[in-house]
Amino acid sequence: MTVIEKLDDMTERNNGYLTTADVVASGYSKTYLAEYVRQRNMERVAQGVYMSSDVWLDEMYIIHLRNKNAVFSHESALYMHNLIDSEPTAVMLTVPKGYNAKHLKERECRVYYVPTDIFEMGRVEKETNFGNKVYVYDMDRTICDIIRYKDKLEIQTFQTALREYMRSKDKNIHNLMKYAEKMKISDKVRVYTEIML
């Protein structure tokens, strides 16, 4: 298999995207990458991220490829779990405390910082609207997050998310309470679940 064929394979496995980090990790130089990008007429969509001309631009996936330590959360997660109807005006992400998120803020993402001991709690992979897998908090963790930051949400968004969560067959009240305890918001979560049940 030639270098071009291997990079074709890598691009295909990433649904039409290719990153400098993946190419270098596979033992190829940036020179090979530059030549491949030129030959395949790929577009640079972010630093170190290239996209084939025949795929749709997937902003969430591009953010994911550049930030494996970031998890889609809050309203972005609500939207991905179909707990709200309209896409949020800003992409919302959670990162561990100490993470340098300057580049995310420059992209106008809203960034939340959490202690490392709860950062991975409830993290799952879910497909974007374009079929690419990204990290997002599960439904139960997302409900804890919006209860915790209730004052930063529109009241209608908050109420809709809680109502849809309670109707969902995928909710897990046990996980919800376990997460709430670790996040030290058990009392608040209990109040809202008792009202909605």
Side-chain angles (χ1 to χ4, degrees):
M1 193 180 264
T2 67
V3 173
I4 293 290
E5 289 171 334
K6 286 178 181 175
L7 294 179
D8 277 342
D9 184 55
M10 199 180 297
T11 302
E12 191 176 318
R13 279 186 278 121
N14 277 324
N15 293 336
Y17 289 85
L18 189 63
T19 67
T20 303
D22 287 345
V23 171
V24 171
S26 297
Y28 303 112
S29 70
K30 290 180 182 178
T31 307
Y32 275 121
L33 172 62
E35 180 58 24
Y36 178 78
V37 165
R38 189 188 63 74
Q39 279 186 29
R40 293 294 187 253
N41 197 28
M42 295 181 83
E43 181 184 349
R44 181 181 183 264
V45 289
Q47 184 179 340
V49 182
Y50 301 89
M51 181 182 82
S52 295
S53 56
D54 61 344
V55 298
W56 291 96
L57 183 70
D58 186 345
E59 191 68 32
M60 293 181 99
Y61 190 54
I62 292 166
I63 291 169
H64 170 76
L65 289 173
R66 289 208 59 224
N67 306 278
K68 298 287 173 88
N69 268 341
V71 179
F72 290 97
S73 61
H74 299 81
E75 289 171 72
S76 291
L78 289 175
Y79 182 71
M80 289 183 77
H81 289 298
N82 297 313
L83 295 176
I84 56 174
D85 293 330
S86 56
E87 198 168 348
T89 53
V91 173
M92 296 174 197
L93 299 147
T94 296
V95 297
K97 275 188 180 165
Y99 183 80
N100 183 354
K102 182 181 175 201
H103 60 290
L104 289 169
K105 291 175 182 175
E106 286 170 356
R107 285 185 85 112
E108 298 183 6
C109 296
R110 196 173 309 158
V111 180
Y112 294 85
Y113 296 88
V114 295
T116 53
D117 63 324
I118 64 165
F119 171 67
E120 291 190 10
M121 183 178 74
R123 185 180 78 175
V124 295
E125 274 190 330
K126 191 164 177 62
E127 287 187 0
T128 67
N129 290 338
F130 299 96
N132 298 303
K133 289 185 178 179
V134 298
Y135 291 132
V136 63
Y137 284 127
D138 67 21
M139 199 181 283
D140 312 300
R141 164 69 188 262
T142 300
I143 293 300
C144 286
D145 282 336
I146 68 159
I147 289 173
R148 187 179 196 186
Y149 293 100
K150 179 180 181 273
D151 296 340
K152 295 190 177 190
L153 264 80
E154 288 184 21
I155 189 68
Q156 187 177 351
T157 301
F158 182 77
Q159 290 172 342
T160 299
L162 281 182
R163 184 179 64 246
E164 293 303 314
Y165 172 77
M166 287 303 181
R167 288 179 181 168
S168 173
K169 60 179 177 40
D170 297 323
K171 72 179 175 296
N172 185 326
I173 300 294
H174 174 73
N175 275 350
L176 178 77
M177 296 315 296
K178 183 177 75 175
Y179 296 157
E181 191 174 320
K182 287 190 177 180
M183 295 168 79
K184 298 176 175 58
I185 56 167
S186 299
D187 292 344
K188 285 183 182 179
V189 171
R190 196 170 286 111
V191 165
Y192 285 109
T193 53
E194 285 172 1
I195 289 169
M196 299 298 287
L197 282 173

